[in-house]
């Protein structure tokens, strides 16, 4: 468009009659001047009508185009009290060709949930396109003479030559309070069979991340309820902590426990399932329901049977839903389970769109894919309402290889990682956190004073234990000190074991840590430790209510509190 128009092309299956041709020619002359020449081309695409293309303008006299125009008028009428019958009559009698209000293009190829479209010179990246029958797609690839677009609905009704319209809108999802407790698909449509959700608004799925001045430092804890994480790798509200490990190492379990632990803490949770079996997600939702955790949780599900486009947009859609709550001043936790499958979905899309493959056949912008997603986690400043979005992305590794492409990318984007190990998992050490390779970079500031004091040198002690374990592996006779240190380390590892759906509150973690660091479990057989911990916590619940309440409410551990814990624990161990 904008160029000098020199030819007007008329497409139809049969040549126009001379009367029709005269009408077209005079129409063109009037609109575009004398210099435009007129040609006719045979095409079977516009059955029962004509399509006239002059430069970038398209006039659609095909049956399909007329119908579309008619539908558009009906839509603009809906709500007004006009007579539809008279509109129909009027449309049939005095149908006048008009330029289509939108730029329109034609489908060149379609398949695998992807369509290549020509003729949309002004389409923008991420714009929503409208195909016939209301099928929607999103622009993901722009080349000189065509745009590549992913389809959100079944592509069966689209064929080569189908008409495509620009909408000028970017992709978005409905958001709102009504989403809490629901399971939706990547487009925000309910899939739990409990009826439609009335949204409070609409939000673009690709929203710019909050700027630096809109943020404040991470300074409040997001407790997982898992002692192995809260003690050594504390997570703060607004932080991004990666959960990484091979398949079946308890990755989902950690995220799930964290969600369950938010009960009664005024946190909204969003769980985004990407490329999982529908049955596993159903089971997960059941688990959350059973524990009352669906009361504050939204599940976004793009399962393995959904097309790659749905899997690709699911985490962005989930984030949009989460941001709605964050901007209302709420603390929100979002889980992306998992981003390896997300990258794979994006890779298939990119390969289908003919993008050149890079390392491990992923397209060059796969880093940007995840960085723009995780950038959106934040702790907003008080002026912005003080809400937060904490992200727990999950990544699956192959044979523990953290140096593969996607793992290294995401490790570098996040503020730390919880590394889970198959060996530990199978030896019964669950959660299978590898203490040496896990780290949390910003959460320390968010840890309560009580936890900081209680945890002492736990990490150091465990590191020492691991080293000694390696050294003493093959030696048979050990001196007394070494043996007791090994036993101490073994006991600590035992204490870090925790069954699923059994979160510890803050005071419980503090009690376990203080007594453990004082070597009080030293003389207990490893197999008895679990039972003893249960008994100890029960004892405190019965006899030390005030102390427990004080730790939970103040988040502090005064020296006299520590003495009280040790005194009470001594009494317990003497009795049991
Ligand atoms: P996948 O790779 O299939 O997604 P995953 O790494 O997410 O697996 P989970 O599904 O969380 O692993 O856990 C695998 C199995 O281990 C599940 O049956 C789960 O119930 C069990 N499990 C996880 N954590 C614990 C735990 N702390 N105690 C006991 N069992 C656990
Ligand atoms: Mg999982």
């Amino acid at each position: 468009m904008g160029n000098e128009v020199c030819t007007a092309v008329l497409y139809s299956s049969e040549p126009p009659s001379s009367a029709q041709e005269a009408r077209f020619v005079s129409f063109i002359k009037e609109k575009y001047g004398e210099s435009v020449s007129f040609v006719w081309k045979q095409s079977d695409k516009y059955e029962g009508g004509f399509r006239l293309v002059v430069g970038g303008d398209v006039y659609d006299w095909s049956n399909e185009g007329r119908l579309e125009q008619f539908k558009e008028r009906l839509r603009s009428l809906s709500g007004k009290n006009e007579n539809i019958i008279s509109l129909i009559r009027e449309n049939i009698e005095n149908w006048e060709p008009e330029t289509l209000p939108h730029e329109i293009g034609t489908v060149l190829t379609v398949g695998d949930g992807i369509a290549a479209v020509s003729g949309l010179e002004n389409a923008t990246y991420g714009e929503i396109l409208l195909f016939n029958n209301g099928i929607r797609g999103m622009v993901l690839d722009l080349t000189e003479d065509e745009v590549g677009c992913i389809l959100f609905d079944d592509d069966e009704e689209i064929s080569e030559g189908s008409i495509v319209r620009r909408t000028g809108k970017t992709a978005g999802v409905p958001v709102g309070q009504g989403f809490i407790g629901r399971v939706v698909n990547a487009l925000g449509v309910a899939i739990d069979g409990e009826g439609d959700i009335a949204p409070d608004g609409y939000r673009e799925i690709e929203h710019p991340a909050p700027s630096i001045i809109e943020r404040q430092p991470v300074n409040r804890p997001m407790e997982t309820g898992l002692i192995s994480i809260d003690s050594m790798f504390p997570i703060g509200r607004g932080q991004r902590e990666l959960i990484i490990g091979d398949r079946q190492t308890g990755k989902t379990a950690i995220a799930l426990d964290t969600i369950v632990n938010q009960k009664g803490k005024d946190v909204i949770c969003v769980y985004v399932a990407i490329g999982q079996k529908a049955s596993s997600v159903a089971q997960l939702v059941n688990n959350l329901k059973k524990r009352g955790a669906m009361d504050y949780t939204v599940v976004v599900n793009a399962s393995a049977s959904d097309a790659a486009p749905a899997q690709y947009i699911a985490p962005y859609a989930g984030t949009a839903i989460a941001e709605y709550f964050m901007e209302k001043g709420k603390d929100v936790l979002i889980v992306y389970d998992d981003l390896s499958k997300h990258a794979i979905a994006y890779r298939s899309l990119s390969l289908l769109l003919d993008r050149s493959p890079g390392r491990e056949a992923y397209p060059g912008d796969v880093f940007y894919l995840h960085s723009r997603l995780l950038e959106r986690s934040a702790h907003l400043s008080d002026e912005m309402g003080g809400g937060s979005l904490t992200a727990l992305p999950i990544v699956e590794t192959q044979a523990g290889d953290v140096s593969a492409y996607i793992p290294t990318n995401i490790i570098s984007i996040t503020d730390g990682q919880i590394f889970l190990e198959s060996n530990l998992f199978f030896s019964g050490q669950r959660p299978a956190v590898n203490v040496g390779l896990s780290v949390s970079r910003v959460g320390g500031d968010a840890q309560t004073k009580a936890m900081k004091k209680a945890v002492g040198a736990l990490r150091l002690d465990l590191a020492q234990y691991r080293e000694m374990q390696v050294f003493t592996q093959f030696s048979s006779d050990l001196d007394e000190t070494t043996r007791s240190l090994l036993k101490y380390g073994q006991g600590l590892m035992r204490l870090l074991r925790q069954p699923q759906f059994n979160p510890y509150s803050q005071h419980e973690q503090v009690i376990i840590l203080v007594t453990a660091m004082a070597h009080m479990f030293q003389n207990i057989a490893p197999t008895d430790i679990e039972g003893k911990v249960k008994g100890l916590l029960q004892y405190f619940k019965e006899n030390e209510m005030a102390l427990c309440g004080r730790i939970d409410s103040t988040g502090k551990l005064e020296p006299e509190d520590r003495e009280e814990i040790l005194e009470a624990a001594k009494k317990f161990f003497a009795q049991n």
Side-chain angles (χ1 to χ4, degrees):
M1 281 206 280
N3 299 342
E4 188 79 6
V5 180
C6 49
T7 330
V9 190
L10 182 72
Y11 298 91
S12 61
S13 49
E14 299 288 326
S17 67
S18 52
Q20 281 170 326
E21 186 172 327
R23 243 183 96 197
F24 279 119
V25 171
S26 79
F27 175 76
I28 295 161
K29 293 248 150 77
E30 197 180 304
K31 270 221 122 133
Y32 298 90
E34 297 287 332
S35 62
V36 180
S37 60
F38 176 82
V39 289
W40 173 77
K41 281 192 184 162
Q42 202 277 335
S43 166
D44 288 332
K45 284 182 200 162
Y46 313 108
E47 222 180 301
F50 300 99
R51 174 186 268 204
L52 181 68
V53 180
V54 193
D57 296 344
V58 180
Y59 300 87
D60 203 346
W61 278 277
S62 65
N63 285 346
E64 200 181 348
R66 284 191 220 188
L67 200 61
E68 233 6 274
Q69 239 167 294
F70 181 53
K71 276 193 210 155
E72 195 57 47
R73 283 210 198 157
L74 274 183
R75 253 174 254 147
S76 66
L77 261 191
S78 66
K80 289 180 211 153
N81 245 346
E82 279 193 46
N83 192 340
I84 291 187
I85 304 290
S86 76
L87 179 82
I88 294 173
R89 189 174 307 127
E90 183 197 323
N91 261 278
I92 292 170
E93 284 170 2
N94 333 316
W95 191 79
E96 272 292 319
E98 49 185 73
T99 335
L100 295 169
H102 316 281
E103 221 183 303
I104 64 173
T106 0
V107 173
L108 293 173
T109 56
V110 60
D112 300 312
I114 303 264
V117 179
S118 73
L120 293 179
E121 282 127 39
N122 300 324
T124 54
Y125 186 84
E127 182 174 342
I128 292 294
L129 302 180
L130 205 57
F131 293 75
N132 46 358
N133 290 327
I135 294 172
R136 280 163 302 168
M138 183 172 111
V139 177
L140 210 62
D141 199 41
L142 294 165
T143 63
E144 213 164 294
D145 40 32
E146 60 178 71
V147 302
C149 131
I150 55 175
L151 302 170
F152 294 139
D153 307 276
D154 207 358
D155 61 17
E156 256 164 34
E157 302 192 34
I158 305 173
S159 58
E160 191 191 332
S162 298
I163 290 170
V164 190
R165 272 153 237 274
R166 281 187 61 191
T167 61
K169 287 189 202 141
T170 49
V173 282
V175 294
Q177 210 68 31
F179 280 80
I180 294 175
R182 303 299 301 269
V183 184
V184 299
N185 68 11
L187 297 173
V189 178
I191 50 171
D192 51 7
E194 288 175 29
D196 291 343
I197 302 170
D200 297 337
Y202 193 76
R203 192 179 172 93
E204 57 214 321
I205 58 169
E206 296 261 14
H207 198 81
S211 66
I212 301 279
I213 38 170
E214 288 167 345
R215 296 175 184 243
Q216 61 175 310
V218 168
N219 51 21
R220 286 176 301 140
M222 171 65 75
E223 283 135 348
T224 62
L226 297 165
I227 191 166
S228 48
I229 295 177
D230 288 345
S231 64
M232 292 178 285
F233 316 106
I235 301 170
R237 298 193 177 188
Q239 187 180 344
R240 303 156 299 178
E241 183 79 3
L242 171 65
I243 301 170
I244 185 167
D246 283 1
R247 52 180 303 276
Q248 291 289 305
T249 49
K251 303 183 296 297
T252 305
I254 288 187
L256 218 54
D257 270 333
T258 311
I259 293 178
V260 170
N261 191 45
Q262 301 315 312
K263 192 167 182 175
K265 293 190 177 154
D266 202 19
V267 173
I268 307 261
C269 301
V270 179
Y271 177 85
V272 185
I274 308 158
Q276 298 190 39
K277 277 187 297 191
S279 58
S280 345
V281 179
Q283 202 180 355
L284 179 139
V285 172
N286 256 340
N287 266 327
L288 289 177
K289 266 196 192 135
K290 239 189 269 167
R291 290 162 182 88
M294 272 312 273
D295 297 347
Y296 51 87
T297 303
V298 187
V299 174
V300 179
N301 182 20
S303 68
S305 57
D306 284 325
Q311 296 184 37
Y312 160 63
I313 66 160
Y316 300 99
T319 309
I321 291 171
E323 280 170 341
Y324 169 82
F325 296 110
M326 171 174 74
E327 289 183 359
K328 290 242 173 311
K330 289 272 183 197
D331 290 312
V332 189
L333 170 75
I334 189 164
V335 178
Y336 306 108
D337 195 1
D338 64 61
L339 290 186
S340 319
K341 296 200 183 74
H342 182 237
I344 289 168
Y346 188 62
R347 173 169 68 184
S348 350
L349 287 179
S350 300
L351 293 175
L352 288 167
L353 285 165
D354 270 345
R355 295 223 191 128
S356 55
R359 185 177 159 189
E360 292 177 26
Y362 288 104
D365 62 344
V366 72
F367 182 87
Y368 178 52
L369 180 77
H370 291 142
S371 63
R372 70 176 194 262
L373 175 70
L374 293 167
E375 270 299 291
R376 289 159 73 178
S377 304
H379 183 195
L380 292 180
S381 65
D382 291 336
E383 294 78 54
M384 296 289 294
S388 69
L389 179 60
T390 311
L392 293 180
I394 295 179
V395 160
E396 184 185 306
T397 51
Q398 309 290 330
D401 182 12
V402 286
S403 60
Y405 190 30
I406 301 300
T408 41
N409 273 352
I410 302 179
I411 285 174
S412 70
I413 297 166
T414 47
D415 309 304
Q417 72 272 351
I418 309 289
F419 184 73
L420 304 178
E421 208 174 34
S422 301
N423 286 344
L424 289 173
F425 190 83
F426 292 127
S427 70
Q429 180 70 34
R430 301 176 187 182
V433 180
N434 178 321
V435 178
L437 289 179
S438 301
V439 63
S440 171
R441 291 189 194 96
V442 295
D445 296 343
Q447 201 174 29
T448 60
K449 289 201 177 74
M451 283 297 284
K452 256 188 209 151
K453 279 202 182 138
V455 76
L458 178 61
R459 275 191 85 172
L460 221 63
D461 287 358
L462 284 171
Q464 200 179 16
Y465 162 67
R466 272 198 313 278
E467 219 151 88
M468 205 175 293
Q469 206 185 14
V470 174
F471 271 109
T472 54
Q473 225 170 162
F474 302 108
S475 49
S476 50
D477 59 344
L478 299 168
D479 61 276
E480 193 48 47
T481 355
T482 315
R483 220 173 317 150
S484 97
L485 270 173
L486 277 174
K487 190 142 184 265
Y488 170 60
Q490 227 170 17
L492 288 182
M493 290 300 280
R494 281 274 168 174
L495 284 168
L496 297 181
R497 293 188 185 187
Q498 200 171 338
Q500 243 184 312
F501 303 118
N502 184 27
Y504 288 138
S505 64
Q506 182 175 207
H507 76 260
E508 289 176 325
Q509 299 198 16
V510 168
I511 292 164
I512 295 171
L513 289 167
V514 167
T515 47
M517 301 306 286
H519 292 242
M520 285 185 134
F521 289 91
Q522 183 78 38
N523 297 320
I524 296 166
T527 44
D528 292 342
I529 284 188
E530 203 173 320
K532 278 278 189 281
V533 170
K534 254 192 203 142
L536 179 73
L537 295 178
Q538 189 58 35
Y539 180 84
F540 270 84
K541 202 183 247 170
E542 283 160 14
N543 303 298
E544 298 284 344
M545 273 292 279
L547 172 68
C548 299
R550 197 158 65 234
I551 295 172
D552 276 342
S553 60
T554 60
K556 285 190 186 138
L557 181 71
E558 306 297 350
E560 56 272 17
D561 294 334
R562 180 194 293 271
E563 284 312 312
E564 199 177 330
I565 291 177
L566 292 175
E567 278 306 314
K570 243 180 234 154
K571 270 191 222 150
F572 168 77
F573 282 114
Q575 289 168 15
N576 292 273

